[in-house]
Amino acid sequence: MQIEQIPSLSLCAAEQLAERALAAATANGVAICVAVVDRAGLPLVFKRQPAAPLHSIDIALDKAYTAVSFGRPTAAWNERLAAGSEQLRHGLIRRERFVGFGGGLPVEHEGQRVGGIGISGGSEAQDCAIAAAALATA
């Protein structure tokens, strides 16, 4: 039997990403929810600023899950779905945890996907910028 070791985001790294996202949100005057998941899409860290919309709780978690599970930013799905078949569009958007709008990014380390981050609470552009800021300072 062969067992593989697949790198995944640590709890400490996930906490740092979440704190960077919260700092970026505060600097931009946006109240958010931030979720950071490991390589398997399981939550490591979740934080919600008190004024963040309640629906943003699940949306942030699902953005992180979608980003890590597909290995692409959630914002990239709009174009991909528009260019894809009708079966692809309808199949994916019906998936319970699939999010096809911006705010979720895969987290990579040394070319390997190790986790995902999801931001929800601002506009789509704000969520994307906050997620990118959290990763840019990592």
Side-chain angles (χ1 to χ4, degrees):
M1 175 185 331
Q2 181 179 353
I3 298 176
E4 294 184 27
Q5 290 188 356
I6 301 172
S8 191
L9 199 58
S10 71
L11 178 59
C12 180
E15 288 173 343
Q16 290 171 351
L17 287 173
E19 288 303 319
R20 289 179 183 132
L22 292 171
T26 299
N28 287 290
V30 180
I32 64 160
C33 292
V34 55
V36 183
V37 299
D38 66 11
R39 175 67 175 90
L42 300 172
L44 287 170
V45 174
F46 175 83
K47 296 191 177 200
R48 181 183 69 83
Q49 292 175 309
L54 294 180
H55 283 283
S56 291
I57 295 169
D58 289 334
I59 294 170
L61 287 161
D62 291 347
K63 285 180 180 183
Y65 177 83
T66 300
V68 72
S69 64
F70 285 104
R72 64 187 305 153
T74 57
W77 280 105
N78 191 28
E79 184 177 323
R80 173 68 177 97
L81 291 173
S85 68
E86 185 174 343
Q87 290 86 359
L88 175 67
R89 271 192 307 282
H90 292 294
L92 280 177
I93 62 173
R94 289 187 177 142
R95 298 288 308 157
E96 185 176 332
R97 298 197 59 198
F98 177 78
V99 175
F101 49 89
L105 293 175
V107 178
E108 295 184 353
H109 178 71
E110 297 179 356
Q112 292 197 19
R113 191 173 348 138
V114 295
I117 185 169
I119 307 297
S120 183
S123 68
E124 184 176 3
Q126 289 170 322
D127 291 351
C128 288
I130 291 165
L135 291 180
T137 56

